[in-house]
Amino acid sequence: LFKIYGCFLLGFYIGRHEVYRKIESGRPLLKRLAVWGFAIGLPLNLLYARTFDSGSWAETLTGTVGVPCLSCGYVALCCLMWLDSRGRQCLRHFAPVGRMALTNYVGQSVICTLIFYGTGLGLGGTMGPTYYLPIGFTVYAVQVLASRLWLERFAFGPLEWVWRMLTYGQRVPLAK
């Protein structure tokens, strides 16, 4: 609860102060945040993975501290990449996934449920966490490609389209 509330407050602060508009002037802070986020977050997340599902204090501590630290490291790294022209070109490939965030979130949940739970292949209990990463990257890579192809023909993702129509209370054209 504290971790979620803390992340909510951090996001609120970032939005309220429009930090995302000032990333160029924050380059030194972003560099420190990336270094410290990875320096603290990576080892703690490795410990978290080793203690996962143990119900121990070590699992609670490493997850509560390590996950947000590593997340901040990743965000800072992405911001620093955005400030570099080559990094920006690399990140542009992921923009379609962001434009279809709701569709991809729900789609990823459905796909992974079908892969890992008994309603589908039931692989979740048959493999260790080492296999989750390549499966996750594969699902994400398919979503990156599918999102790009979808947005070449349509203005919104399918669930984003439905959400807009519910929000506006009228039909919104889907085709470009």
Side-chain angles (χ1 to χ4, degrees):
L1 181 63
F2 292 113
K3 181 170 59 173
I4 293 169
Y5 188 64
C7 290
F8 173 78
L9 289 176
L10 181 61
F12 180 76
Y13 177 86
I14 289 168
R16 176 63 59 131
H17 294 281
E18 296 185 334
V19 173
Y20 51 88
R21 294 186 186 269
K22 307 169 192 168
I23 63 171
E24 180 62 51
S25 63
R27 192 185 295 258
L29 174 63
L30 289 170
K31 287 180 181 177
R32 285 194 307 274
L33 188 59
V35 168
W36 283 105
F38 284 109
I40 295 169
L42 280 175
L44 286 179
N45 276 280
L46 288 171
L47 286 171
Y48 181 59
R50 299 225 2 117
T51 60
F52 185 74
D53 221 11
S54 68
S56 68
W57 65 268
E59 176 192 4
T60 303
L61 178 67
T62 56
T64 302
V65 177
V67 171
C69 286
L70 190 57
S71 297
C72 286
Y74 282 129
V75 168
L77 183 63
C78 286
C79 289
L80 289 168
M81 286 178 66
W82 185 257
L83 293 172
D84 178 72
S85 60
R86 289 176 306 196
R88 185 174 294 144
Q89 283 302 105
C90 178
L91 290 175
R92 286 190 194 279
H93 295 291
F94 301 102
V97 177
R99 288 183 51 206
M100 293 178 52
L102 179 60
T103 298
N104 283 308
Y105 175 76
V106 172
Q108 193 172 85
S109 297
V110 169
I111 291 166
C112 289
T113 297
L114 292 173
I115 292 172
F116 296 114
Y117 288 92
T119 54
L121 299 175
L123 296 177
T126 64
M127 64 177 79
T130 307
Y131 294 103
Y132 297 156
L133 197 58
I135 291 171
F137 277 131
T138 302
V139 169
Y140 187 69
V142 168
Q143 288 183 307
V144 169
L145 179 61
S147 296
R148 187 176 61 87
L149 293 173
W150 178 273
L151 290 173
E152 285 176 2
R153 299 193 62 210
F154 302 103
F156 314 104
L159 294 181
E160 289 75 14
W161 175 64
V162 170
W163 188 260
R164 281 178 189 258
M165 289 194 299
L166 291 172
T167 301
Y168 299 145
Q170 63 186 17
R171 184 158 171 74
V172 175
L174 178 60
K176 282 188 168 181

